[in-house]
Amino acid sequence: MKLYYMPQELLNELRGNFQHYLHYYRENDKNGLLQELSRYGNLKESKIECEDFSLEMTTSISNGKTAYNESDLANIKIMYTHLKDKLSLIAAADEKLWDGMSHSCFWDYVQFREAKQLKSDKEKDVSNAYILAVKKNGIRRARAMHCLSRLWWAGYYTYDEENTGNPYELTEFYFSNAVPSRMLLMASRNFTANRHICIGLLRSLKKRYERGEDSLERYHVETAFTYLNGIGGATSLDFLDSYEIESLVDDVMNQKYGVL
């Protein structure tokens, strides 16, 4: 399976004249879109190659609304398993790769996952479904919002290589529901660029949950993130390993919410 990226010329054309191409996305006409865009060039084949894979496209109903929790979690594992050894951090941070993937092998998945956005009256909602909104949000937030790129980055932040029994245990814990919002929460902190900090933090939160915390709530994560963000200026967190980070978070959570 070859991965394709979107050349800058095509990206500039879509960003500058998206209204002209809007109907192709709403009508699910990939071939028509690429044919018209061919006046400006074509998607380019990258040097990245992996085993063929597809993403799950299943939903459930929660409180009368369409829910993607189960398939989102499954797709984090699928995406990261197939590409964790194929993508460098530079490649994974490049919007052109994800924009190319959304316009090629994963077009149908984006149609499925962003069905609500594609029906929106707002042009930007349709555009953001297929193109990373880097100019408005910055690259880190944009890749956390995009339905394809956030799958790989969610895996990157939470895949625990030292857990030989189930390296996705923290992934399953943190992304048990609300993948988009929890991904944005994680990506909003500068220190999360270091995955070992994320791993240590999540180990601590998971430990509290297993010892009797009712559930993982946003305020638990906010407390831990705010604490690490606060000490980051005085302590170089990058020099600490995941177990030292885990111990730091243990201490602050015990002080804040009591020892379990």
Side-chain angles (χ1 to χ4, degrees):
M1 177 177 181
K2 292 279 190 178
L3 301 186
Y4 289 80
Y5 67 93
M6 180 171 287
Q8 193 64 49
E9 295 80 3
L10 293 189
L11 189 53
N12 291 343
E13 171 61 18
L14 282 174
R15 284 179 172 165
N17 300 290
F18 192 82
Q19 179 64 40
H20 177 73
Y21 303 99
L22 184 61
H23 67 284
Y24 289 114
Y25 295 94
R26 288 185 169 149
E27 295 168 8
N28 192 11
D29 185 3
K30 179 181 72 171
N31 292 334
L33 171 66
L34 294 181
Q35 183 175 351
E36 182 159 2
L37 280 174
S38 65
R39 294 179 297 169
Y40 304 93
N42 299 296
L43 297 178
K44 299 294 185 181
E45 186 178 282
S46 75
K47 296 181 180 179
I48 302 167
E49 189 171 1
C50 65
E51 293 182 358
D52 287 354
F53 71 97
S54 58
L55 298 174
E56 286 194 17
M57 292 188 278
T58 57
T59 61
S60 59
I61 301 298
S62 177
N63 298 321
K65 296 182 179 180
T66 301
Y68 298 89
N69 295 339
E70 291 183 9
S71 60
D72 277 353
L73 177 57
N75 286 332
I76 291 171
K77 298 177 186 179
I78 293 170
M79 179 72 81
Y80 195 68
T81 295
H82 283 84
L83 295 180
K84 65 183 176 68
D85 297 324
K86 303 296 183 180
L87 297 187
S88 66
L89 290 181
I90 294 175
D94 191 336
E95 61 182 303
K96 294 188 292 295
L97 174 65
W98 301 109
D99 292 341
M101 289 169 66
S102 68
H103 286 79
S104 55
C105 50
F106 294 109
W107 171 279
D108 291 338
Y109 174 76
V110 179
Q111 285 284 323
F112 155 78
R113 185 59 182 86
E114 301 294 9
K116 183 177 179 180
Q117 281 188 256
L118 292 168
K119 294 176 183 177
S120 171
D121 293 333
K122 298 179 180 179
E123 177 183 325
K124 68 176 183 178
D125 289 340
V126 180
S127 173
N128 291 347
Y130 274 89
I131 302 172
L132 272 69
V134 175
K135 185 175 182 180
K136 177 182 178 181
N137 298 301
I139 183 58
R140 186 170 58 195
R141 185 175 176 85
R143 72 193 185 204
M145 295 173 65
H146 191 264
C147 69
L148 283 180
S149 59
R150 72 174 171 232
L151 297 175
W152 191 92
W153 284 98
Y156 174 77
Y157 286 138
T158 60
Y159 184 86
D160 187 358
E161 295 174 342
E162 296 186 43
N163 186 341
T164 56
N166 179 14
Y168 286 109
E169 192 171 283
L170 296 177
T171 312
E172 294 165 357
F173 167 67
Y174 185 67
F175 292 114
S176 59
N177 58 57
V179 169
S181 60
R182 288 193 174 178
M183 186 60 196
L184 275 174
L185 181 61
M186 179 170 280
S188 66
R189 309 290 176 156
N190 290 330
F191 63 75
T192 55
N194 184 331
R195 64 186 303 270
H196 298 293
I197 297 175
C198 296
I199 295 297
L201 184 154
L202 292 179
R203 282 181 187 152
S204 177
L205 293 181
K206 186 174 185 295
K207 190 162 48 182
R208 285 191 66 85
Y209 175 75
E210 290 173 339
R211 289 176 179 174
E213 201 75 72
D214 289 339
S215 63
L216 175 65
E217 301 291 349
R218 184 184 178 92
Y219 63 83
H220 292 133
V221 182
E222 285 281 15
T223 295
F225 278 13
T226 299
Y227 171 70
L228 290 180
N229 199 58
I231 69 170
T235 303
S236 182
L237 298 177
D238 289 332
F239 290 120
L240 303 180
D241 63 31
S242 60
Y243 294 101
E244 291 171 311
I245 296 294
E246 180 182 352
S247 180
L248 287 174
V249 177
D250 284 347
D251 290 342
V252 73
M253 296 300 286
N254 288 339
Q255 293 174 19
K256 183 78 173 179
Y257 302 111
V259 178
L260 289 177

